[in-house]
PDB file of all heavy atoms in Angstrom:
ATOM      1  N   ARG A   1       0.836  -1.207   0.000  1.00 97.00           N
ATOM      2  CA  ARG A   1       0.000   0.000   0.000  1.00 97.00           C
ATOM      3  C   ARG A   1       0.867   1.251   0.000  1.00 97.00           C
ATOM      4  O   ARG A   1       1.901   1.299   0.663  1.00 97.00           O
ATOM      5  CB  ARG A   1      -0.927  -0.030   1.207  1.00 97.00           C
ATOM      6  CG  ARG A   1      -1.880  -1.235   1.145  1.00 97.00           C
ATOM      7  CD  ARG A   1      -2.798  -1.313   2.332  1.00 97.00           C
ATOM      8  NE  ARG A   1      -3.489  -0.036   2.485  1.00 97.00           N
ATOM      9  CZ  ARG A   1      -3.673   0.571   3.646  1.00 97.00           C
ATOM     10  NH1 ARG A   1      -3.272   0.036   4.766  1.00 97.00           N
ATOM     11  NH2 ARG A   1      -4.297   1.729   3.701  1.00 97.00           N
ATOM     12  N   PHE A   2       0.379   2.269  -0.717  1.00 97.00           N
ATOM     13  CA  PHE A   2       1.089   3.537  -0.829  1.00 97.00           C
ATOM     14  C   PHE A   2       0.085   4.680  -0.740  1.00 97.00           C
ATOM     15  O   PHE A   2      -1.052   4.545  -1.164  1.00 97.00           O
ATOM     16  CB  PHE A   2       1.811   3.629  -2.183  1.00 97.00           C
ATOM     17  CG  PHE A   2       2.838   2.557  -2.368  1.00 97.00           C
ATOM     18  CD1 PHE A   2       2.489   1.327  -2.905  1.00 97.00           C
ATOM     19  CD2 PHE A   2       4.150   2.766  -1.988  1.00 97.00           C
ATOM     20  CE1 PHE A   2       3.418   0.323  -3.066  1.00 97.00           C
ATOM     21  CE2 PHE A   2       5.096   1.768  -2.139  1.00 97.00           C
ATOM     22  CZ  PHE A   2       4.728   0.547  -2.682  1.00 97.00           C
ATOM     23  N   GLU A   3       0.553   5.792  -0.196  1.00 95.00           N
ATOM     24  CA  GLU A   3      -0.256   7.002  -0.177  1.00 95.00           C
ATOM     25  C   GLU A   3       0.400   8.022  -1.105  1.00 95.00           C
ATOM     26  O   GLU A   3       1.592   8.308  -0.975  1.00 95.00           O
ATOM     27  CB  GLU A   3      -0.353   7.585   1.233  1.00 95.00           C
ATOM     28  CG  GLU A   3      -1.245   8.823   1.283  1.00 95.00           C
ATOM     29  CD  GLU A   3      -1.374   9.353   2.689  1.00 95.00           C
ATOM     30  OE1 GLU A   3      -0.385   9.905   3.201  1.00 95.00           O
ATOM     31  OE2 GLU A   3      -2.466   9.201   3.272  1.00 95.00           O
ATOM     32  N   VAL A   4      -0.398   8.524  -2.042  1.00 94.00           N
ATOM     33  CA  VAL A   4       0.080   9.545  -2.973  1.00 94.00           C
ATOM     34  C   VAL A   4      -0.648  10.838  -2.646  1.00 94.00           C
ATOM     35  O   VAL A   4      -1.874  10.867  -2.574  1.00 94.00           O
ATOM     36  CB  VAL A   4      -0.191   9.139  -4.445  1.00 94.00           C
ATOM     37  CG1 VAL A   4       0.264  10.245  -5.391  1.00 94.00           C
ATOM     38  CG2 VAL A   4       0.505   7.838  -4.778  1.00 94.00           C
ATOM     39  N   ARG A   5       0.121  11.904  -2.433  1.00 91.00           N
ATOM     40  CA  ARG A   5      -0.459  13.221  -2.163  1.00 91.00           C
ATOM     41  C   ARG A   5      -0.455  14.030  -3.458  1.00 91.00           C
ATOM     42  O   ARG A   5       0.341  14.927  -3.640  1.00 91.00           O
ATOM     43  CB  ARG A   5       0.332  13.913  -1.058  1.00 91.00           C
ATOM     44  CG  ARG A   5       0.032  13.311   0.311  1.00 91.00           C
ATOM     45  CD  ARG A   5       0.868  13.900   1.402  1.00 91.00           C
ATOM     46  NE  ARG A   5       2.003  12.998   1.569  1.00 91.00           N
ATOM     47  CZ  ARG A   5       3.226  13.373   1.852  1.00 91.00           C
ATOM     48  NH1 ARG A   5       3.505  14.636   2.037  1.00 91.00           N
ATOM     49  NH2 ARG A   5       4.185  12.500   1.977  1.00 91.00           N
ATOM     50  N   ASN A   6      -1.365  13.659  -4.352  1.00 85.00           N
ATOM     51  CA  ASN A   6      -1.406  14.313  -5.656  1.00 85.00           C
ATOM     52  C   ASN A   6      -2.162  15.630  -5.654  1.00 85.00           C
ATOM     53  O   ASN A   6      -1.978  16.447  -6.547  1.00 85.00           O
ATOM     54  CB  ASN A   6      -2.024  13.374  -6.690  1.00 85.00           C
ATOM     55  CG  ASN A   6      -3.433  12.950  -6.313  1.00 85.00           C
ATOM     56  OD1 ASN A   6      -3.647  12.414  -5.236  1.00 85.00           O
ATOM     57  ND2 ASN A   6      -4.387  13.198  -7.179  1.00 85.00           N
ATOM     58  N   GLY A   7      -3.007  15.851  -4.676  1.00 75.00           N
ATOM     59  CA  GLY A   7      -3.813  17.074  -4.630  1.00 75.00           C
ATOM     60  C   GLY A   7      -2.988  18.327  -4.452  1.00 75.00           C
ATOM     61  O   GLY A   7      -3.441  19.421  -4.767  1.00 75.00           O
ATOM     62  N   THR A   8      -1.759  18.200  -3.971  1.00 74.00           N
ATOM     63  CA  THR A   8      -0.895  19.366  -3.824  1.00 74.00           C
ATOM     64  C   THR A   8      -0.273  19.757  -5.160  1.00 74.00           C
ATOM     65  O   THR A   8       0.260  20.839  -5.301  1.00 74.00           O
ATOM     66  CB  THR A   8       0.233  19.084  -2.808  1.00 74.00           C
ATOM     67  OG1 THR A   8       0.999  17.970  -3.274  1.00 74.00           O
ATOM     68  CG2 THR A   8      -0.314  18.785  -1.437  1.00 74.00           C
ATOM     69  N   VAL A   9      -0.368  18.838  -6.143  1.00 74.00           N
ATOM     70  CA  VAL A   9       0.263  19.056  -7.437  1.00 74.00           C
ATOM     71  C   VAL A   9      -0.754  19.372  -8.522  1.00 74.00           C
ATOM     72  O   VAL A   9      -0.536  20.233  -9.357  1.00 74.00           O
ATOM     73  CB  VAL A   9       1.063  17.785  -7.848  1.00 74.00           C
ATOM     74  CG1 VAL A   9       1.667  17.934  -9.220  1.00 74.00           C
ATOM     75  CG2 VAL A   9       2.132  17.478  -6.813  1.00 74.00           C
ATOM     76  N   TRP A  10      -1.883  18.697  -8.495  1.00 78.00           N
ATOM     77  CA  TRP A  10      -2.860  18.771  -9.580  1.00 78.00           C
ATOM     78  C   TRP A  10      -4.252  18.807  -8.983  1.00 78.00           C
ATOM     79  O   TRP A  10      -4.561  18.032  -8.083  1.00 78.00           O
ATOM     80  CB  TRP A  10      -2.682  17.543 -10.458  1.00 78.00           C
ATOM     81  CG  TRP A  10      -3.225  17.636 -11.843  1.00 78.00           C
ATOM     82  CD1 TRP A  10      -4.242  16.870 -12.336  1.00 78.00           C
ATOM     83  CD2 TRP A  10      -2.802  18.461 -12.913  1.00 78.00           C
ATOM     84  NE1 TRP A  10      -4.469  17.187 -13.654  1.00 78.00           N
ATOM     85  CE2 TRP A  10      -3.592  18.170 -14.034  1.00 78.00           C
ATOM     86  CE3 TRP A  10      -1.835  19.457 -13.026  1.00 78.00           C
ATOM     87  CZ2 TRP A  10      -3.454  18.807 -15.249  1.00 78.00           C
ATOM     88  CZ3 TRP A  10      -1.673  20.093 -14.242  1.00 78.00           C
ATOM     89  CH2 TRP A  10      -2.476  19.770 -15.339  1.00 78.00           C
ATOM     90  N   LYS A  11      -5.111  19.646  -9.479  1.00 80.00           N
ATOM     91  CA  LYS A  11      -6.425  19.875  -8.865  1.00 80.00           C
ATOM     92  C   LYS A  11      -7.588  19.196  -9.585  1.00 80.00           C
ATOM     93  O   LYS A  11      -8.732  19.549  -9.356  1.00 80.00           O
ATOM     94  CB  LYS A  11      -6.698  21.378  -8.776  1.00 80.00           C
ATOM     95  CG  LYS A  11      -5.668  22.127  -7.957  1.00 80.00           C
ATOM     96  CD  LYS A  11      -5.659  21.671  -6.516  1.00 80.00           C
ATOM     97  CE  LYS A  11      -4.633  22.449  -5.720  1.00 80.00           C
ATOM     98  NZ  LYS A  11      -4.366  21.907  -4.425  1.00 80.00           N
ATOM     99  N   ARG A  12      -7.330  18.214 -10.442  1.00 84.00           N
ATOM    100  CA  ARG A  12      -8.418  17.495 -11.115  1.00 84.00           C
ATOM    101  C   ARG A  12      -8.053  16.019 -11.274  1.00 84.00           C
ATOM    102  O   ARG A  12      -6.861  15.671 -11.264  1.00 84.00           O
ATOM    103  CB  ARG A  12      -8.730  18.127 -12.461  1.00 84.00           C
ATOM    104  CG  ARG A  12      -7.613  17.987 -13.452  1.00 84.00           C
ATOM    105  CD  ARG A  12      -8.016  18.574 -14.787  1.00 84.00           C
ATOM    106  NE  ARG A  12      -7.035  18.142 -15.768  1.00 84.00           N
ATOM    107  CZ  ARG A  12      -6.783  18.761 -16.874  1.00 84.00           C
ATOM    108  NH1 ARG A  12      -7.439  19.851 -17.184  1.00 84.00           N
ATOM    109  NH2 ARG A  12      -5.885  18.303 -17.713  1.00 84.00           N
ATOM    110  N   PRO A  13      -9.030  15.141 -11.427  1.00 89.00           N
ATOM    111  CA  PRO A  13      -8.741  13.716 -11.622  1.00 89.00           C
ATOM    112  C   PRO A  13      -7.964  13.513 -12.917  1.00 89.00           C
ATOM    113  O   PRO A  13      -8.297  14.110 -13.943  1.00 89.00           O
ATOM    114  CB  PRO A  13     -10.121  13.065 -11.721  1.00 89.00           C
ATOM    115  CG  PRO A  13     -11.067  14.044 -11.133  1.00 89.00           C
ATOM    116  CD  PRO A  13     -10.473  15.401 -11.376  1.00 89.00           C
ATOM    117  N   ASP A  14      -6.920  12.711 -12.848  1.00 92.00           N
ATOM    118  CA  ASP A  14      -6.118  12.428 -14.042  1.00 92.00           C
ATOM    119  C   ASP A  14      -5.291  11.164 -13.822  1.00 92.00           C
ATOM    120  O   ASP A  14      -5.178  10.672 -12.698  1.00 92.00           O
ATOM    121  CB  ASP A  14      -5.189  13.596 -14.367  1.00 92.00           C
ATOM    122  CG  ASP A  14      -5.517  14.198 -15.727  1.00 92.00           C
ATOM    123  OD1 ASP A  14      -5.781  13.426 -16.671  1.00 92.00           O
ATOM    124  OD2 ASP A  14      -5.522  15.430 -15.841  1.00 92.00           O
ATOM    125  N   ASN A  15      -4.721  10.675 -14.920  1.00 95.00           N
ATOM    126  CA  ASN A  15      -3.893   9.474 -14.854  1.00 95.00           C
ATOM    127  C   ASN A  15      -2.493   9.792 -14.348  1.00 95.00           C
ATOM    128  O   ASN A  15      -1.878  10.770 -14.782  1.00 95.00           O
ATOM    129  CB  ASN A  15      -3.801   8.811 -16.230  1.00 95.00           C
ATOM    130  CG  ASN A  15      -5.083   8.123 -16.617  1.00 95.00           C
ATOM    131  OD1 ASN A  15      -5.863   7.717 -15.763  1.00 95.00           O
ATOM    132  ND2 ASN A  15      -5.327   7.989 -17.901  1.00 95.00           N
ATOM    133  N   TRP A  16      -2.039   8.946 -13.452  1.00 95.00           N
ATOM    134  CA  TRP A  16      -0.706   9.034 -12.884  1.00 95.00           C
ATOM    135  C   TRP A  16       0.027   7.726 -13.144  1.00 95.00           C
ATOM    136  O   TRP A  16      -0.598   6.659 -13.188  1.00 95.00           O
ATOM    137  CB  TRP A  16      -0.784   9.254 -11.370  1.00 95.00           C
ATOM    138  CG  TRP A  16      -1.170  10.643 -10.982  1.00 95.00           C
ATOM    139  CD1 TRP A  16      -2.382  11.246 -11.147  1.00 95.00           C
ATOM    140  CD2 TRP A  16      -0.336  11.606 -10.357  1.00 95.00           C
ATOM    141  NE1 TRP A  16      -2.354  12.518 -10.660  1.00 95.00           N
ATOM    142  CE2 TRP A  16      -1.112  12.768 -10.161  1.00 95.00           C
ATOM    143  CE3 TRP A  16       0.979  11.593  -9.923  1.00 95.00           C
ATOM    144  CZ2 TRP A  16      -0.602  13.912  -9.567  1.00 95.00           C
ATOM    145  CZ3 TRP A  16       1.486  12.731  -9.322  1.00 95.00           C
ATOM    146  CH2 TRP A  16       0.704  13.885  -9.155  1.00 95.00           C
ATOM    147  N   ALA A  17       1.339   7.793 -13.277  1.00 97.00           N
ATOM    148  CA  ALA A  17       2.178   6.598 -13.375  1.00 97.00           C
ATOM    149  C   ALA A  17       2.830   6.382 -12.016  1.00 97.00           C
ATOM    150  O   ALA A  17       3.469   7.286 -11.473  1.00 97.00           O
ATOM    151  CB  ALA A  17       3.252   6.768 -14.443  1.00 97.00           C
ATOM    152  N   LEU A  18       2.624   5.214 -11.460  1.00 97.00           N
ATOM    153  CA  LEU A  18       3.292   4.835 -10.222  1.00 97.00           C
ATOM    154  C   LEU A  18       4.360   3.818 -10.601  1.00 97.00           C
ATOM    155  O   LEU A  18       4.040   2.758 -11.153  1.00 97.00           O
ATOM    156  CB  LEU A  18       2.304   4.227  -9.231  1.00 97.00           C
ATOM    157  CG  LEU A  18       1.059   5.070  -8.931  1.00 97.00           C
ATOM    158  CD1 LEU A  18       0.182   4.357  -7.916  1.00 97.00           C
ATOM    159  CD2 LEU A  18       1.448   6.442  -8.431  1.00 97.00           C
ATOM    160  N   SER A  19       5.618   4.147 -10.345  1.00 97.00           N
ATOM    161  CA  SER A  19       6.736   3.288 -10.709  1.00 97.00           C
ATOM    162  C   SER A  19       7.373   2.721  -9.446  1.00 97.00           C
ATOM    163  O   SER A  19       7.512   3.430  -8.444  1.00 97.00           O
ATOM    164  CB  SER A  19       7.780   4.080 -11.485  1.00 97.00           C
ATOM    165  OG  SER A  19       7.185   4.702 -12.606  1.00 97.00           O
ATOM    166  N   PHE A  20       7.777   1.453  -9.536  1.00 97.00           N
ATOM    167  CA  PHE A  20       8.325   0.764  -8.375  1.00 97.00           C
ATOM    168  C   PHE A  20       9.564  -0.043  -8.747  1.00 97.00           C
ATOM    169  O   PHE A  20       9.697  -0.499  -9.885  1.00 97.00           O
ATOM    170  CB  PHE A  20       7.289  -0.208  -7.786  1.00 97.00           C
ATOM    171  CG  PHE A  20       5.992   0.446  -7.451  1.00 97.00           C
ATOM    172  CD1 PHE A  20       4.908   0.357  -8.300  1.00 97.00           C
ATOM    173  CD2 PHE A  20       5.852   1.176  -6.283  1.00 97.00           C
ATOM    174  CE1 PHE A  20       3.702   0.969  -8.006  1.00 97.00           C
ATOM    175  CE2 PHE A  20       4.660   1.794  -5.975  1.00 97.00           C
ATOM    176  CZ  PHE A  20       3.580   1.694  -6.834  1.00 97.00           C
ATOM    177  N   ALA A  21      10.428  -0.235  -7.758  1.00 97.00           N
ATOM    178  CA  ALA A  21      11.561  -1.155  -7.857  1.00 97.00           C
ATOM    179  C   ALA A  21      11.555  -1.959  -6.568  1.00 97.00           C
ATOM    180  O   ALA A  21      11.362  -1.395  -5.480  1.00 97.00           O
ATOM    181  CB  ALA A  21      12.877  -0.399  -8.017  1.00 97.00           C
ATOM    182  N   ALA A  22      11.737  -3.271  -6.694  1.00 97.00           N
ATOM    183  CA  ALA A  22      11.658  -4.140  -5.513  1.00 97.00           C
ATOM    184  C   ALA A  22      12.751  -5.196  -5.544  1.00 97.00           C
ATOM    185  O   ALA A  22      13.169  -5.651  -6.616  1.00 97.00           O
ATOM    186  CB  ALA A  22      10.291  -4.815  -5.454  1.00 97.00           C
ATOM    187  N   LYS A  23      13.171  -5.567  -4.372  1.00 96.00           N
ATOM    188  CA  LYS A  23      14.089  -6.689  -4.183  1.00 96.00           C
ATOM    189  C   LYS A  23      13.261  -7.851  -3.661  1.00 96.00           C
ATOM    190  O   LYS A  23      12.466  -7.693  -2.737  1.00 96.00           O
ATOM    191  CB  LYS A  23      15.192  -6.351  -3.169  1.00 96.00           C
ATOM    192  CG  LYS A  23      16.154  -5.304  -3.653  1.00 96.00           C
ATOM    193  CD  LYS A  23      17.015  -5.864  -4.750  1.00 96.00           C
ATOM    194  CE  LYS A  23      18.166  -4.927  -5.065  1.00 96.00           C
ATOM    195  NZ  LYS A  23      19.030  -5.465  -6.088  1.00 96.00           N
ATOM    196  N   ILE A  24      13.469  -9.019  -4.264  1.00 95.00           N
ATOM    197  CA  ILE A  24      12.740 -10.217  -3.887  1.00 95.00           C
ATOM    198  C   ILE A  24      13.744 -11.258  -3.420  1.00 95.00           C
ATOM    199  O   ILE A  24      14.746 -11.507  -4.109  1.00 95.00           O
ATOM    200  CB  ILE A  24      11.917 -10.754  -5.076  1.00 95.00           C
ATOM    201  CG1 ILE A  24      10.900  -9.711  -5.510  1.00 95.00           C
ATOM    202  CG2 ILE A  24      11.246 -12.073  -4.714  1.00 95.00           C
ATOM    203  CD1 ILE A  24      10.165 -10.055  -6.783  1.00 95.00           C
ATOM    204  N   GLN A  25      13.464 -11.851  -2.276  1.00 91.00           N
ATOM    205  CA  GLN A  25      14.365 -12.855  -1.725  1.00 91.00           C
ATOM    206  C   GLN A  25      14.569 -13.978  -2.734  1.00 91.00           C
ATOM    207  O   GLN A  25      13.618 -14.496  -3.307  1.00 91.00           O
ATOM    208  CB  GLN A  25      13.792 -13.429  -0.427  1.00 91.00           C
ATOM    209  CG  GLN A  25      14.742 -14.372   0.263  1.00 91.00           C
ATOM    210  CD  GLN A  25      14.205 -14.821   1.614  1.00 91.00           C
ATOM    211  OE1 GLN A  25      13.139 -14.426   2.045  1.00 91.00           O
ATOM    212  NE2 GLN A  25      14.967 -15.654   2.275  1.00 91.00           N
ATOM    213  N   GLY A  26      15.842 -14.316  -2.969  1.00 89.00           N
ATOM    214  CA  GLY A  26      16.185 -15.392  -3.882  1.00 89.00           C
ATOM    215  C   GLY A  26      16.399 -14.946  -5.316  1.00 89.00           C
ATOM    216  O   GLY A  26      16.809 -15.743  -6.151  1.00 89.00           O
ATOM    217  N   GLU A  27      16.122 -13.685  -5.631  1.00 91.00           N
ATOM    218  CA  GLU A  27      16.324 -13.165  -6.980  1.00 91.00           C
ATOM    219  C   GLU A  27      17.511 -12.203  -6.970  1.00 91.00           C
ATOM    220  O   GLU A  27      17.600 -11.338  -6.111  1.00 91.00           O
ATOM    221  CB  GLU A  27      15.084 -12.430  -7.489  1.00 91.00           C
ATOM    222  CG  GLU A  27      13.864 -13.296  -7.645  1.00 91.00           C
ATOM    223  CD  GLU A  27      14.010 -14.358  -8.738  1.00 91.00           C
ATOM    224  OE1 GLU A  27      14.977 -14.321  -9.518  1.00 91.00           O
ATOM    225  OE2 GLU A  27      13.143 -15.235  -8.798  1.00 91.00           O
ATOM    226  N   ALA A  28      18.393 -12.365  -7.939  1.00 89.00           N
ATOM    227  CA  ALA A  28      19.599 -11.545  -7.989  1.00 89.00           C
ATOM    228  C   ALA A  28      19.311 -10.108  -8.422  1.00 89.00           C
ATOM    229  O   ALA A  28      19.895  -9.172  -7.905  1.00 89.00           O
ATOM    230  CB  ALA A  28      20.612 -12.172  -8.941  1.00 89.00           C
ATOM    231  N   GLY A  29      18.405  -9.929  -9.353  1.00 91.00           N
ATOM    232  CA  GLY A  29      18.150  -8.598  -9.894  1.00 91.00           C
ATOM    233  C   GLY A  29      17.076  -7.845  -9.141  1.00 91.00           C
ATOM    234  O   GLY A  29      16.432  -8.364  -8.233  1.00 91.00           O
ATOM    235  N   THR A  30      16.898  -6.603  -9.550  1.00 95.00           N
ATOM    236  CA  THR A  30      15.840  -5.760  -9.013  1.00 95.00           C
ATOM    237  C   THR A  30      14.657  -5.814  -9.967  1.00 95.00           C
ATOM    238  O   THR A  30      14.811  -5.682 -11.173  1.00 95.00           O
ATOM    239  CB  THR A  30      16.336  -4.308  -8.879  1.00 95.00           C
ATOM    240  OG1 THR A  30      17.470  -4.295  -8.012  1.00 95.00           O
ATOM    241  CG2 THR A  30      15.260  -3.401  -8.314  1.00 95.00           C
ATOM    242  N   VAL A  31      13.471  -6.015  -9.422  1.00 96.00           N
ATOM    243  CA  VAL A  31      12.255  -6.060 -10.218  1.00 96.00           C
ATOM    244  C   VAL A  31      11.718  -4.647 -10.324  1.00 96.00           C
ATOM    245  O   VAL A  31      11.571  -3.945  -9.313  1.00 96.00           O
ATOM    246  CB  VAL A  31      11.206  -6.980  -9.550  1.00 96.00           C
ATOM    247  CG1 VAL A  31       9.889  -6.929 -10.286  1.00 96.00           C
ATOM    248  CG2 VAL A  31      11.729  -8.410  -9.472  1.00 96.00           C
ATOM    249  N   THR A  32      11.438  -4.198 -11.535  1.00 96.00           N
ATOM    250  CA  THR A  32      10.876  -2.874 -11.741  1.00 96.00           C
ATOM    251  C   THR A  32       9.574  -2.973 -12.529  1.00 96.00           C
ATOM    252  O   THR A  32       9.353  -3.938 -13.253  1.00 96.00           O
ATOM    253  CB  THR A  32      11.867  -1.959 -12.518  1.00 96.00           C
ATOM    254  OG1 THR A  32      12.136  -2.544 -13.792  1.00 96.00           O
ATOM    255  CG2 THR A  32      13.153  -1.756 -11.745  1.00 96.00           C
ATOM    256  N   GLY A  33       8.751  -1.976 -12.382  1.00 96.00           N
ATOM    257  CA  GLY A  33       7.498  -1.939 -13.129  1.00 96.00           C
ATOM    258  C   GLY A  33       6.716  -0.698 -12.787  1.00 96.00           C
ATOM    259  O   GLY A  33       7.102   0.072 -11.905  1.00 96.00           O
ATOM    260  N   ASN A  34       5.612  -0.513 -13.510  1.00 96.00           N
ATOM    261  CA  ASN A  34       4.770   0.633 -13.202  1.00 96.00           C
ATOM    262  C   ASN A  34       3.314   0.284 -13.421  1.00 96.00           C
ATOM    263  O   ASN A  34       2.977  -0.719 -14.037  1.00 96.00           O
ATOM    264  CB  ASN A  34       5.179   1.872 -14.002  1.00 96.00           C
ATOM    265  CG  ASN A  34       4.945   1.701 -15.490  1.00 96.00           C
ATOM    266  OD1 ASN A  34       4.273   0.791 -15.937  1.00 96.00           O
ATOM    267  ND2 ASN A  34       5.524   2.594 -16.261  1.00 96.00           N
ATOM    268  N   VAL A  35       2.468   1.105 -12.848  1.00 97.00           N
ATOM    269  CA  VAL A  35       1.023   0.962 -12.924  1.00 97.00           C
ATOM    270  C   VAL A  35       0.458   2.344 -13.240  1.00 97.00           C
ATOM    271  O   VAL A  35       0.890   3.344 -12.657  1.00 97.00           O
ATOM    272  CB  VAL A  35       0.465   0.453 -11.575  1.00 97.00           C
ATOM    273  CG1 VAL A  35      -1.044   0.430 -11.592  1.00 97.00           C
ATOM    274  CG2 VAL A  35       1.017  -0.914 -11.237  1.00 97.00           C
ATOM    275  N   ILE A  36      -0.494   2.399 -14.157  1.00 97.00           N
ATOM    276  CA  ILE A  36      -1.178   3.657 -14.468  1.00 97.00           C
ATOM    277  C   ILE A  36      -2.504   3.643 -13.713  1.00 97.00           C
ATOM    278  O   ILE A  36      -3.257   2.670 -13.771  1.00 97.00           O
ATOM    279  CB  ILE A  36      -1.444   3.800 -15.982  1.00 97.00           C
ATOM    280  CG1 ILE A  36      -0.159   3.613 -16.792  1.00 97.00           C
ATOM    281  CG2 ILE A  36      -2.117   5.139 -16.279  1.00 97.00           C
ATOM    282  CD1 ILE A  36       0.930   4.599 -16.491  1.00 97.00           C
ATOM    283  N   VAL A  37      -2.782   4.727 -13.004  1.00 96.00           N
ATOM    284  CA  VAL A  37      -3.990   4.788 -12.187  1.00 96.00           C
ATOM    285  C   VAL A  37      -4.559   6.210 -12.224  1.00 96.00           C
ATOM    286  O   VAL A  37      -3.810   7.186 -12.250  1.00 96.00           O
ATOM    287  CB  VAL A  37      -3.695   4.342 -10.735  1.00 96.00           C
ATOM    288  CG1 VAL A  37      -2.667   5.230 -10.075  1.00 96.00           C
ATOM    289  CG2 VAL A  37      -4.954   4.262  -9.903  1.00 96.00           C
ATOM    290  N   LYS A  38      -5.880   6.301 -12.248  1.00 94.00           N
ATOM    291  CA  LYS A  38      -6.544   7.616 -12.214  1.00 94.00           C
ATOM    292  C   LYS A  38      -6.725   8.022 -10.759  1.00 94.00           C
ATOM    293  O   LYS A  38      -7.357   7.306  -9.980  1.00 94.00           O
ATOM    294  CB  LYS A  38      -7.897   7.569 -12.918  1.00 94.00           C
ATOM    295  CG  LYS A  38      -8.515   8.939 -13.073  1.00 94.00           C
ATOM    296  CD  LYS A  38      -9.691   8.892 -14.015  1.00 94.00           C
ATOM    297  CE  LYS A  38      -9.838  10.252 -14.654  1.00 94.00           C
ATOM    298  NZ  LYS A  38     -10.432  10.177 -15.959  1.00 94.00           N
ATOM    299  N   LEU A  39      -6.140   9.148 -10.398  1.00 91.00           N
ATOM    300  CA  LEU A  39      -6.217   9.653  -9.027  1.00 91.00           C
ATOM    301  C   LEU A  39      -7.037  10.922  -8.988  1.00 91.00           C
ATOM    302  O   LEU A  39      -7.012  11.733  -9.910  1.00 91.00           O
ATOM    303  CB  LEU A  39      -4.817   9.933  -8.483  1.00 91.00           C
ATOM    304  CG  LEU A  39      -3.873   8.744  -8.410  1.00 91.00           C
ATOM    305  CD1 LEU A  39      -2.507   9.179  -7.863  1.00 91.00           C
ATOM    306  CD2 LEU A  39      -4.454   7.632  -7.559  1.00 91.00           C
ATOM    307  N   SER A  40      -7.775  11.091  -7.896  1.00 87.00           N
ATOM    308  CA  SER A  40      -8.575  12.304  -7.668  1.00 87.00           C
ATOM    309  C   SER A  40      -7.852  13.179  -6.659  1.00 87.00           C
ATOM    310  O   SER A  40      -7.217  12.676  -5.738  1.00 87.00           O
ATOM    311  CB  SER A  40      -9.940  11.931  -7.117  1.00 87.00           C
ATOM    312  OG  SER A  40     -10.627  11.137  -8.042  1.00 87.00           O
TER     313      SER A  40
END
């Protein structure tokens, strides 16, 4: 879970890209990815 404080940046509902990098036990590399979500 994550909290995004988008209301301080933009005053209308719109699409945002949330990008992540994670370390997973047993995996040598870093897992990266993103999700597009409409935030109000």
Side-chain angles (χ1 to χ4, degrees):
R1 298 179 53 223
F2 299 88
E3 182 178 71
V4 178
R5 286 176 264 144
N6 59 304
T8 59
V9 177
W10 200 244
K11 301 297 181 192
R12 67 177 193 204
D14 242 318
N15 287 334
W16 285 69
L18 307 181
S19 305
F20 305 100
K23 292 290 191 178
I24 299 172
Q25 186 174 359
E27 296 294 350
T30 301
V31 174
T32 60
N34 66 13
V35 174
I36 307 299
V37 61
K38 188 168 207 152
L39 299 179
S40 298

